[in-house]
Amino acid sequence: MKIKVSDTRIEERDLQKIRKKVLQFWPTGKEVDLESAIDFHRRLPKNKITFEKLLIGKNTGKTFIQPRGGVALTDDLIKLLRALEKAGADFLPVTIDSFTRENRYDAAQEGILRSKQSPKIPVLNGYPAVNAGVKECRRIIESVNVPVEIRHGTPDARLLAEITLAAGFTDFEGGAITYVIPYSAEVPLKESIKNWQYVDRLVGLYQENGITINRESFGALTGTLVSPCIAIAIGVIEALLAAKQGVKSISLGYGQCGNLVQDIAAIKALVSLSEEYMHSFNYKDVLITTVFHQWMGGFPENEYQAAGVIALGTLVGALSKSNKIITKSIHEAIGIPNIESNVAGVKISKQIINMLDHQGAFSNSDIEQEVEIIKQETRCMIDKTMELGRGDIAKGVILAFEKGVIDIPFAPNRFNLGKILTARDNCGAIRFLKVGNLPFSKNIIDFHKAKIRERAKKEKRKANFEMVVDDIYAISEGKLIG
Amino acid sequence: MSKEKKEKKEKKVVLVLGAIGSDIHYAGIQILEHAFIGAGFKVINIGVRRPPEKFIQVAKECNANAIIVSSLYGQAGQDCEGMRQECIELELGDILLYIGGKLVVGDVLPPWREIKKQFKDYGFDRVYPAERDSVSRAIRDLRKDLGLYKRMKRRRVKGKGK
């Protein structure tokens, strides 16, 4: 069997020929003007550009949060996106409706009309961006302050890409495998590969004009017991296909499986292998980032249980140092979330991310080291207590508290010396700001001094009671370290 | 200016601070103490689980300007309803009474304005919720209620032209 499709880069003149056809698939295609699109992108502030934000995030070890979401009418969509941004979303979505995903623009149009007639009864499960057109889509970009991505599941996303890229979206999800094999029954790969090469080559065209659009591969696939190797192999392949067409910024997705070790290992393997293959194919200037999808399978109906699932996904995404986490809502089991339940998913995720911000995956040796320190400190206190009591624990305890050999921070009891002060170090671990009379060896005292000094230096402030007070309030204010 | 006048002018505002009734919450009043001292007040922290009489007795002994009651365990109503009356009986009727914290319990808490009214009806001058910015608001209100802004203004005016 001779396969006609190939991974060679599409020539620009061939692209422009096909573009003429694609832009006629629906009347809004007429609104696409490459020059004005590039000009619009050039004038976008950096905070609205996916590539710029991902680059900073990757360099600073940050894990971003992004929800999903889309509704039929632009004004309602803007209201939703603003609520999600306010809740802490670092990147925003525009999730496309299912009619558009099947290129049924006439059905999407009917959906828009019905939505306008009865605004309180949602008809579409996402935003019909093709029918909305470039100008209307631009309103979305202009109404928010973070980058916006088109999220969907579209085998033939050529016109969708044309409209939304022209409108100022800086991130476009999908690929020849990830948006076709799980999202269509009939579409052959030889067709989907060509369609997605078009999308990647269009991104390449923007790139040639100095505009970097990010492409995201949907590694979560069917969300049904997908082994990491399948997700990663397909992700790497889509990255190579995209890079061939001139894409310079690629995110590779992975859906949470559920076992902590496996999920953290999967992200590590994804990072390692994608870099390895990109290098071996000589793509050295492509930014690769990772996207961790919170559990993509069935959810419990109970909102609190759903919150638990969301929280676990965030924990793993954070520990694995994924660059971005896609959140779920607490109504996932029921259907398309309303604003409140979607916002809840974002807030649950942000609280956890902010508390794990300065932490990351740990090895057994990290734990062993900390065990050793804790054991040494504890032995100092117990042994001194025994010494003071001359072998009698009861007598020892009384003397130990009197001398501050045992000292409890913030205890009301007048027999507690209250000479110690504790605060967090740069990773959030509790260290001693003042050792008081605790009977620590010099190396332990120096260890704590160094940790506190590191934090004071990083935060450019003194290590004093203010630091302690800030740490006391921190979690209620949505972070771990004050 | 005489020495007594100077001393009186420079005298710090004295606050009596503690957790009332059976409330054992200690960390909060430590933070309050630190904040009030930082704001230039003198603080007598009488600790936790103190009856209203103890606040008033210490306030009398130290010539305090204000009593600051902290309550985080939800039973302040029972602890505090007679406090203003006790102040009056012990000849401290004019003292400033502030209270802050989680002041009530219940499955469904009444709106804050109702809780505030409840404690104002008991005779408290200021009532605060258990929020971080309540501390800075209390400091600002103390200065206002004690006429300290006027004192500060007068000093500035006197300084002009020298």
Side-chain angles (χ1 to χ4, degrees):
Chain A
M1 178 179 75
K2 200 178 177 198
I3 298 170
K4 282 187 191 156
V5 90
S6 102
D7 70 3
T8 47
R9 191 164 159 133
I10 301 174
E11 295 286 332
E12 193 185 325
R13 60 172 184 271
D14 294 331
L15 177 73
Q16 296 294 7
K17 262 195 227 158
I18 314 170
R19 288 190 73 220
K20 280 200 177 84
K21 288 191 194 144
V22 168
L23 292 173
Q24 283 174 30
F25 287 167
W26 192 252
T28 48
K30 286 199 227 37
E31 292 177 40
V32 174
D33 172 60
L34 199 63
E35 220 176 282
S36 104
I38 286 163
D39 179 62
F40 185 84
H41 275 272
R42 278 204 185 117
R43 285 184 288 109
L44 276 178
K46 278 197 173 163
N47 53 290
K48 293 194 191 188
I49 301 174
T50 301
F51 166 71
E52 299 288 348
K53 196 161 181 174
L54 283 175
L55 185 61
I56 294 173
K58 186 167 179 174
N59 290 337
T60 53
K62 189 138 171 73
T63 299
F64 292 118
I65 294 295
Q66 182 181 31
R68 295 182 173 88
V71 291
L73 304 175
T74 313
D75 287 336
D76 295 331
L77 177 64
I78 289 171
K79 185 174 167 213
L80 165 66
L81 296 184
R82 282 183 171 160
L84 293 169
E85 185 185 332
K86 189 170 175 207
D90 301 296
F91 292 90
L92 286 170
V94 168
T95 302
I96 303 296
D97 73 283
S98 294
F99 291 147
T100 304
R101 295 184 195 196
E102 235 198 312
N103 308 121
R104 291 177 58 199
Y105 307 124
D106 46 359
Q109 194 63 33
E110 174 70 25
I112 293 169
L113 278 159
R114 289 189 193 194
S115 302
K116 283 184 176 156
Q117 275 157 14
S118 357
K120 290 210 165 101
I121 304 168
V123 167
L124 295 179
N125 62 9
Y127 185 67
V130 169
N131 295 59
V134 174
K135 205 169 150 195
E136 195 62 355
C137 285
R138 273 200 190 155
R139 283 214 291 132
I140 301 163
I141 305 296
E142 282 159 354
S143 302
V144 296
N145 302 297
V146 297
V148 196
E149 177 178 9
I150 296 294
R151 305 195 72 91
H152 49 128
T154 312
D156 181 359
R158 291 177 293 171
L159 180 57
L160 179 64
E162 288 281 0
I163 302 262
T164 55
L165 294 191
F169 287 84
T170 53
D171 200 352
F172 195 84
E173 197 181 10
I177 306 165
T178 61
Y179 266 11
V180 177
I181 303 299
Y183 281 98
S184 75
E186 315 286 347
V187 178
L189 279 163
K190 63 184 179 195
E191 193 180 303
S192 71
I193 288 173
K194 280 202 179 133
N195 289 340
W196 279 95
Q197 281 174 321
Y198 174 110
V199 173
D200 288 332
R201 185 66 186 89
L202 180 65
V203 168
L205 187 59
Y206 274 80
Q207 186 65 51
E208 283 157 16
N209 284 277
I211 308 299
T212 304
I213 305 288
N214 188 69
R215 287 273 295 108
E216 181 177 327
S217 169
F218 181 60
L221 298 164
T222 52
T224 310
L225 302 174
V226 178
S227 298
C229 59
I230 297 170
I232 297 170
I234 290 170
V236 169
I237 286 166
E238 283 196 355
L240 291 170
L241 285 170
K244 190 79 187 210
Q245 301 302 325
V247 177
K248 296 287 184 204
S249 181
I250 302 169
S251 299
L252 299 178
Y254 168 80
Q256 178 186 10
C257 286
N259 173 280
L260 257 62
V261 170
Q262 186 175 49
D263 282 335
I264 293 173
I267 295 294
K268 276 184 170 258
L270 176 59
V271 171
S272 169
L273 286 176
S274 56
E275 277 172 10
E276 189 187 296
Y277 281 99
M278 294 298 275
H279 274 236
S280 74
F281 278 76
N282 235 359
Y283 298 119
K284 296 203 174 100
D285 59 347
V286 177
L287 175 71
I288 299 285
T289 45
T290 54
V291 176
F292 187 87
H293 293 257
Q294 289 174 355
W295 177 246
M296 294 294 286
F299 254 67
E301 271 195 29
N302 178 279
E303 289 178 359
Y304 300 108
Q305 285 175 257
V309 177
I310 290 169
L312 182 63
T314 313
L315 168 72
V316 179
L319 289 181
S320 66
K321 283 263 163 249
S322 302
N323 300 115
K324 192 169 76 170
I325 295 174
I326 310 297
T327 61
K328 287 285 188 174
S329 85
I330 55 174
H331 285 169
E332 181 63 25
I334 295 153
I336 304 291
N338 58 15
I339 297 182
E340 288 74 27
S341 60
N342 205 345
V343 159
V346 172
K347 287 191 165 182
I348 292 165
S349 307
K350 280 296 270 197
Q351 177 76 23
I352 293 172
I353 283 293
N354 289 341
M355 288 175 67
L356 294 180
D357 210 4
H358 305 114
Q359 307 184 48
F362 40 84
S363 61
N364 272 335
S365 79
D366 291 326
I367 296 179
E368 283 316 311
Q369 261 182 57
E370 190 72 27
V371 169
E372 245 335 285
I373 294 165
I374 294 170
K375 275 171 139 177
Q376 268 187 54
E377 293 164 339
T378 311
R379 281 206 184 94
C380 288
M381 291 167 67
I382 297 176
D383 294 350
K384 188 71 185 174
T385 301
M386 295 296 279
E387 188 191 302
L388 287 170
R390 287 175 216 231
D392 184 321
I393 300 170
K395 292 190 169 70
V397 162
I398 292 169
L399 287 163
F401 269 91
E402 194 183 286
K403 294 181 185 303
V405 157
I406 303 176
D407 196 341
I408 302 174
F410 290 100
N413 193 289
R414 61 193 172 104
F415 295 99
N416 188 71
L417 195 64
K419 217 176 161 189
I420 63 168
L421 263 190
T422 47
R424 297 188 184 279
D425 67 13
N426 282 331
C427 294
I430 295 177
R431 305 298 181 202
F432 287 95
L433 202 144
K434 282 199 179 128
V435 162
N437 292 356
L438 297 180
F440 289 162
S441 59
K442 186 175 184 303
N443 68 309
I444 292 176
I445 295 175
D446 289 344
F447 169 79
H448 287 278
K449 260 202 191 122
K451 289 285 185 185
I452 296 290
R453 205 183 310 127
E454 262 171 36
R455 179 179 165 189
K457 188 176 177 198
K458 181 175 182 209
E459 294 181 2
K460 296 192 175 74
R461 56 139 130 194
K462 290 200 180 110
N464 56 16
F465 194 68
E466 299 303 337
M467 195 184 263
V468 179
V469 173
D470 287 343
D471 282 349
I472 288 172
Y473 281 110
I475 291 178
S476 67
E477 291 176 350
K479 49 191 171 160
L480 180 66
I481 301 171
Chain B
M1 192 187 300
S2 71
K3 192 179 173 200
E4 290 98 2
K5 268 195 179 174
K6 222 182 182 180
E7 272 179 356
K8 197 182 178 192
K9 207 180 178 186
E10 282 161 359
K11 210 170 91 176
K12 281 189 173 183
V13 167
V14 179
L15 310 174
V16 172
L17 167 70
I20 201 162
S22 297
D23 193 341
I24 197 76
H25 288 94
Y26 185 65
I29 57 172
Q30 294 306 95
I31 292 171
L32 284 171
E33 180 180 352
H34 175 80
F36 286 130
I37 290 173
F41 302 118
K42 181 174 173 181
V43 179
I44 299 158
N45 185 344
I46 62 171
V48 297
R49 287 209 168 145
R50 298 291 180 224
E53 305 81 67
K54 185 72 183 175
F55 283 83
I56 303 166
Q57 175 208 329
V58 172
K60 265 199 105 161
E61 285 164 10
C62 306
N63 235 344
N65 303 88
I67 292 174
I68 317 287
V69 174
S70 169
S71 178
L72 280 172
Y73 75 154
Q75 295 181 179
Q78 204 167 323
D79 294 329
C80 296
E81 57 189 349
M83 198 165 177
R84 176 58 77 184
Q85 188 52 40
E86 282 186 68
C87 288
I88 293 166
E89 281 162 16
L90 291 165
E91 293 170 351
L92 221 54
D94 288 341
I95 195 164
L96 277 178
L97 270 186
Y98 282 24
I99 187 165
K102 291 195 205 284
L103 304 177
V104 295
V105 285
D107 276 351
V108 179
L109 296 182
W112 176 251
R113 62 173 189 281
E114 277 179 36
I115 299 173
K116 194 170 165 179
K117 184 178 183 303
Q118 178 185 343
F119 285 84
K120 283 236 161 147
D121 288 346
Y122 294 158
F124 282 85
D125 298 287
R126 301 274 186 181
V127 184
Y128 302 96
E131 285 164 13
R132 190 168 187 182
D133 73 347
S134 290
V135 187
S136 51
R137 283 170 50 216
I139 290 169
R140 193 194 61 210
D141 292 336
L142 271 168
R143 289 188 176 134
K144 205 164 148 189
D145 292 345
L146 292 167
L148 296 179
Y149 290 126
K150 291 184 198 138
R151 251 198 254 168
M152 279 160 67
K153 235 186 180 173
R154 253 183 266 131
R155 273 200 217 116
R156 275 203 289 271
V157 168
K158 273 193 176 171
K160 270 188 181 176
K162 272 203 180 152

